Amino acid sequence: MSVEQSKRSVTVIGLGPMGRAMAGAYLDAGYAVTVWNRTPGRAGELLARGAREAPSARAAVEANELVVLSLTDYDAVFEVLEAVEPALEGKVIANLSSDTPGRAREAARRLAEHGAAQLTGGVQVPPSGIGDPASSTFYSGPVELFQRHRAALEVLTGADYRGDDPGLAQLYYQIQMDLFWSSMVGYLHATAIAEANGITAEEFLPYLSSTAASMPGFQAFYAPRITGGDHRGDVDRLAMALAGIEHVRHTAEDSGVDGALPAVLAEAVRRGVEDGFGAASLTVLVGRFRRE
Ligand SMILES: NC(=O)c1ccc[n+]([C@@H]2O[C@H](COP(=O)([O-])OP(=O)(O)OC[C@H]3O[C@@H](n4cnc5c(N)ncnc54)[C@H](OP(=O)(O)O)[C@@H]3O)[C@@H](O)[C@H]2O)c1
């Protein structure tokens, strides 16, 4: 198959909400789309729009040079890859399933053993963002393959290439998710305290938004200091942070809300204070989180 042909046809394996949105975006862009899903019956609407359903994962891989994997995790990826091994030679697997950087590297190694290559992807938007060039996906893997298939990948979202190491796309994705999950759980905890005191989530929203909007300013102030190893406590002190988090925990508990979440935060800060960093900035925790 020529490069031109491969640019206009694609296989999508995995038809969860994300894979269905991806196959739909390719159909919208005029691609010939072959799909396969472990549980039959998920391709219905895509078939009505012109997609072709392969009878097996192997047949789906055989159909195109570019194969997009959108599976729950890499356990699912390894299970599918095992079933398609004889068809992998020469294939480019855009693996847009989430997992750890280490597992992404392992998958790339296994694919190379079978003559295939992986472009790892970390999709940063929900299915509703697929097909929108303003959305973004982290990619890593062989740069020449990324360049060759960039147009096809950009049918899904904007493409942010992070480097050759197949783990990098997942690393960037997971550090974004670290912030996302702690922010979302923190938001829900704060909302629980609000609701316990008769303030609805909607009433809380403008104040929540204002605090969230202040975060980029803090991050822009602290990032160069963290990079430079400068943790001076001139604008904030770890001991102050400990007292502040304890006030949150007590407010939660006084409201009948579980204080376990702020207690975990307080514990991380308390260890720093007990080790003699009470007068340093909260940013000193960056180094102390590391286990070496
Ligand atoms: N949804 C989001 O908002 C979002 C956002 C960013 C990134 N992502 C990532 O994108 C990926 C797909 O998301 P999704 O929401 O579509 O996930 P999902 O609902 O878990 O569906 C994923 C697909 O994986 C298949 N699968 C699971 N285990 C399998 C196995 N052992 N063998 C073969 N197929 C298997 C499922 O097939 P069956 O139908 O047979 O179960 C399904 O087609 C995930 O890695 C997710 O973390 C999702």
Side-chain angles (χ1 to χ4, degrees):
M1 183 175 287
S2 76
V3 170
E4 272 316 302
Q5 279 173 313
S6 74
K7 274 185 182 165
R8 305 297 301 169
S9 69
V10 66
T11 288
V12 177
I13 291 184
L15 297 177
M18 194 53 112
R20 282 201 301 275
M22 289 175 173
Y26 280 120
L27 289 170
D28 288 344
Y31 276 64
V33 180
T34 299
V35 297
W36 181 81
N37 192 64
R38 176 183 60 175
T39 307
R42 300 256 156 91
E45 194 206 330
L46 297 166
L47 301 185
R49 294 175 54 201
R52 172 183 161 269
E53 187 166 25
S56 65
R58 179 174 170 172
V61 170
E62 281 166 349
N64 288 297
E65 180 192 358
L66 180 62
V67 177
V68 172
L69 291 188
S70 179
L71 301 170
T72 305
D73 53 25
Y74 275 57
D75 282 343
V77 168
F78 291 129
E79 209 173 304
V80 169
L81 290 184
E82 210 172 303
V84 304
E85 269 172 14
L88 283 172
E89 180 75 36
K91 302 297 177 180
V92 177
I93 309 296
N95 192 348
L96 308 186
S97 318
S98 300
D99 215 311
T100 65
R103 300 202 90 197
R105 293 183 188 114
E106 187 188 344
R109 265 194 307 274
R110 284 213 214 166
L111 282 164
E113 283 166 14
H114 295 281
Q118 173 171 280
L119 286 168
T120 313
V123 183
Q124 294 188 75
V125 288
S128 57
I130 299 299
D132 180 353
S135 303
S136 182
T137 298
F138 295 122
Y139 285 100
S140 66
V143 68
E144 66 284 359
L145 283 186
F146 173 73
Q147 296 294 6
R148 199 158 110 219
H149 292 283
R150 181 171 197 148
L153 300 172
E154 285 181 341
V155 167
L156 303 178
T157 65
D160 184 351
Y161 180 75
R162 298 283 80 220
D164 194 51
D165 169 1
L168 269 180
Q170 280 304 318
L171 179 63
Y172 272 90
Y173 176 76
Q174 295 304 346
I175 57 182
Q176 296 288 105
M177 287 297 102
D178 189 354
L179 179 62
F180 176 80
W181 290 123
S182 50
S183 302
M184 285 304 289
V185 175
Y187 157 57
L188 297 174
H189 190 268
T191 303
I193 300 175
E195 288 204 325
N197 289 281
I199 302 165
T200 68
E202 282 174 316
E203 285 166 341
F204 176 39
L205 182 62
Y207 304 99
L208 163 84
S209 301
S210 157
T211 301
S214 72
M215 288 300 160
F218 284 107
Q219 290 149 2
F221 175 77
Y222 285 121
R225 286 186 168 204
I226 293 170
T227 301
D230 174 1
H231 301 295
R232 82 190 106 127
D234 57 343
V235 294
D236 74 286
R237 293 168 65 248
L238 200 61
M240 178 277 285
L242 179 56
I245 296 169
E246 285 292 20
H247 297 157
V248 174
R249 180 168 72 84
H250 293 142
T251 303
E253 288 169 349
D254 290 349
S255 306
V257 169
D258 186 1
L261 197 62
V264 167
L265 304 182
E267 192 44 40
V269 174
R270 192 188 324 279
R271 279 199 299 270
V273 171
E274 286 173 357
D275 288 347
F277 294 95
S281 165
L282 182 66
T283 60
V284 77
L285 292 183
V286 172
R288 300 185 53 76
F289 280 135
R290 286 180 67 168
R291 280 199 242 133
E292 282 178 319

